[in-house]
Amino acid sequence: MRYLLAFTARAILALTVTALCAADDKRIAQQDLIGAWRLVSIDVQGPTGREADPFYGNGSRGLLIYDASGWFSVQIEGADRPSVRVPGARPVPAGAPAAAADSKALNSYYAYFGTWSFDPATSVVTHHAKGALYPSEDAAVYPQHVEVVGRRMTFSRTQNGKTQTKVWERLS
């Protein structure tokens, strides 16, 4: 009987430790990223504190899609984009007022697509661009730390002493 009680106590202890370790393990799997995500916020922390994002500004919105075959697409637009006429054909003859508005519209929008990979050991997702709004980024590689908690996914990337954090929310 004494051996049975000792065995039972050890078994309960082992199960408790295993459950606690599993509850504390916040690693994510590649499958956790697949789906459509809506941009919630972009935050930049610099040496002097919080800053507006230099590209997107405040109040941006966006959509990120990861598919199971390894492709992604991301689009982000800044707030207060100017309303510009949709051209009937390309290229559009440039006029000074239209060119300024077109430039502001272009500079407040960001889009690229390509393949993606995920390293579960480091929780890093890497975007391998195949095409982009800005042609110089057609072959860009963007590694970012990623966390998924509930319906929220957070990317963080530090560059030049500043950390940019993007929060995305899973779409149904």
Side-chain angles (χ1 to χ4, degrees):
M1 180 70 160
R2 196 169 87 193
Y3 294 111
L4 183 59
L5 287 174
F7 174 78
T8 303
R10 285 188 188 127
I12 291 172
L13 179 61
L15 288 172
T16 302
V17 169
T18 301
L20 288 174
C21 288
D24 197 36
D25 185 4
K26 295 183 181 177
R27 286 185 285 181
I28 59 174
Q30 184 166 330
Q31 184 66 30
D32 295 328
L33 305 178
I34 294 171
W37 302 84
R38 176 187 66 84
L39 183 65
V40 174
S41 65
I42 299 176
D43 183 54
V44 176
Q45 289 291 328
T48 59
R50 189 172 191 272
E51 306 173 7
D53 186 274
F55 189 87
Y56 304 109
N58 295 319
S60 48
R61 63 186 185 159
L63 178 69
L64 169 63
I65 299 172
Y66 286 121
D67 79 8
S69 71
W71 285 87
F72 79 91
S73 175
V74 63
Q75 299 184 54
I76 300 175
E77 65 178 12
D80 303 323
R81 299 184 72 224
S83 178
V84 296
R85 182 180 62 81
V86 177
R90 294 182 194 247
V92 178
D102 288 350
S103 176
K104 187 172 181 187
L106 174 68
N107 286 325
S108 61
Y109 197 86
Y110 188 63
Y112 69 108
F113 68 91
T115 60
W116 64 284
S117 58
F118 177 67
D119 182 350
T122 60
S123 199
V124 170
V125 63
T126 302
H127 293 173
H128 309 270
K130 303 296 183 200
L133 179 63
Y134 296 99
S136 62
E137 292 184 299
D138 280 357
V141 176
Y142 297 116
Q144 304 174 83
H145 182 266
V146 62
E147 294 179 5
V148 177
V149 177
R151 298 181 53 79
R152 294 269 169 123
M153 176 171 63
T154 304
F155 288 154
S156 58
R157 181 175 181 190
T158 301
Q159 193 173 21
N160 301 327
K162 296 181 181 185
T163 300
Q164 181 192 60
T165 303
K166 292 183 186 113
V167 177
W168 301 86
E169 181 175 63
R170 185 180 294 280
L171 295 172
S172 299

